[in-house]
């Protein structure tokens, strides 16, 4: 059989457009964040039938009732973490693995936890295939964190929680930053917690709608209350 050149599209032009029209136009400024979005092939994190929509201004389904978040939300949360490349980051809610790949570009090491085995398996295959060696993935209830690798410089929860899980707060190091969505099942506030010597300071960033954090320190049951969209 004759060998064929790799015909799979790269979508580099679509990525540039996404960075300019969705991120820069809405005020994302951190050059490292913008570069990460230009680098990571978002289409690889969704099924092939959705590749033409992968760089659109919206969330997309990734199966099992879950979603890969809108690029702007991923950028906003990534920028809020104020990463310089030296950090150890904990992400709860691996999903497709896209946010983990962005974090892998921006931080030193990424520990990511997903409760659904099938999503974790898919995310791991994609991240490995793209050569991200600084992402460590685990299937577990991330609402209680990942104690053996704590403390973390940064923690990001990419699912909506009823409150800030105490266990996660306990795993954030002094002067660390924590980004999470807090609210009810259908809408939440994106907040950033600064761990400062005088106590924790909380800042509200925006309103949004993510799928629920389901677990011991999250919501009790996903089946009865299907999540919103990110
Ligand atoms: N960051 C993902 C999108 C997140 S969707 C991406 O870039 O694609 C939210 C994810 O959180 C879903 O995959 C859901 O299964 C997961 N999740 C919900 N509760 C969880 C918990 N307690 N621990 C770990 N993962 C959880």
């Amino acid at each position: 059989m004759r060998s064929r050149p790799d015909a799979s599209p790269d979508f580099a032009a679509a990525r540039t457009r996404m960075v300019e029209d969705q991120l820069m136009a809405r005020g994302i400024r951190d050059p490292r964040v913008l570069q990460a979005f230009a680098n990571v092939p978002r289409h690889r994190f969704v099924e092939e039938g959705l590749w033409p929509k992968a760089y659109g201004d919206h969330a997309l389904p990734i199966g099992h009732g879950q979603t890969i978040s809108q690029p702007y939300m991923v950028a906003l949360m990534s920028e809020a973490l104020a990463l310089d490349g030296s950090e150890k980051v904990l992400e709860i809610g691996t999903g497709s693995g896209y946010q983990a790949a962005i974090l892998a570009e921006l931080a030193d090491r990424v520990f990511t936890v997903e409760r659904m085995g099938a999503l974790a398996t898919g995310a791991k295959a994609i991240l490995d295939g793209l050569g991200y060696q600084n992402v460590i993935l685990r299937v577990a209830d991330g609402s209680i964190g990942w104690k053996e690798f704590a403390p973390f410089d940064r923690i990001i929860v990419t699912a909506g929680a009823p409150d800030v899980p105490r266990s996660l707060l306990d795993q954030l190091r002094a002067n660390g930053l924590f980004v999470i969505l807090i609210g009810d099942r259908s809408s939440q506030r994106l907040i950033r917690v600064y761990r400062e010597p005088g106590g924790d300071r909380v800042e509200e960033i925006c309103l949004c709608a993510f799928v629920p954090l389901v677990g011991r320190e999250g919501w009790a049951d996903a089946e009865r209350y299907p999540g919103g969209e990110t």
Side-chain angles (χ1 to χ4, degrees):
M1 216 172 90
R2 238 165 21 131
S3 69
R4 285 182 300 150
D6 181 3
S8 58
D10 175 50
F11 295 105
R15 267 196 299 287
T16 303
R17 263 201 315 280
M18 171 186 78
V19 167
E20 290 173 357
D21 299 352
Q22 300 174 39
L23 310 189
M24 296 174 76
R26 293 194 182 113
I28 303 295
R29 292 279 174 267
D30 184 334
R32 296 183 70 245
V33 171
L34 297 171
Q35 189 60 52
F37 278 79
N39 292 350
V40 178
R42 181 172 161 93
H43 62 283
R44 296 282 297 275
F45 294 85
V46 297
E47 64 188 50
E48 204 165 336
L50 292 175
W51 282 10
K53 292 183 170 174
Y55 297 93
D57 190 14
H58 43 66
L60 286 170
I62 55 172
H64 309 274
Q66 308 302 317
T67 53
I68 176 175
S69 311
Q70 179 195 23
Y72 173 64
M73 282 309 303
V74 181
L76 195 60
M77 294 175 85
S78 303
E79 188 172 59
L81 290 172
L83 296 162
D84 67 15
S86 64
E87 298 85 359
K88 184 165 86 169
V89 181
L90 175 66
E91 180 199 23
I92 307 304
T94 316
S96 68
Y98 180 66
Q99 171 82 75
I102 296 286
L103 295 172
E105 298 260 337
L106 295 170
D108 181 41
R109 269 181 306 162
V110 180
F111 294 83
T112 183
V113 185
E114 171 57 51
R115 65 183 279 269
M116 293 185 167
L119 288 177
T121 303
K124 181 158 174 38
I126 297 162
L127 291 164
D128 285 351
L130 292 172
Y132 287 107
Q133 292 179 352
N134 58 340
V135 179
I136 300 107
L137 193 151
R138 176 193 196 189
V139 179
D141 173 8
S143 73
I144 56 170
W146 196 340
K147 219 172 177 176
E148 64 187 289
F149 291 106
F152 298 94
D153 301 304
R154 303 285 188 269
I155 299 179
I156 171 172
V157 180
T158 61
D163 212 338
V164 182
R166 186 71 241 172
S167 299
L168 287 177
L169 267 186
D170 290 344
Q171 293 174 26
L172 183 66
R173 77 151 166 77
N175 299 311
L177 281 178
F178 187 157
V179 170
I180 184 168
L181 307 134
I182 301 293
D184 57 33
R185 285 175 183 272
S186 53
S187 72
Q188 304 92 26
R189 293 170 297 130
L190 172 59
I191 63 163
R192 172 160 65 173
V193 180
Y194 293 82
R195 167 128 314 162
E196 291 174 336
D200 290 343
R201 184 161 58 88
V202 178
E203 179 192 72
E204 190 171 321
I205 299 176
C206 67
L207 292 173
C208 51
F210 271 58
V211 294
L213 181 77
V214 177
R216 202 184 320 162
E217 295 190 38
W219 295 100
D221 165 42
E223 300 306 322
R224 280 189 301 137
Y225 307 95
E229 284 200 7
T230 54

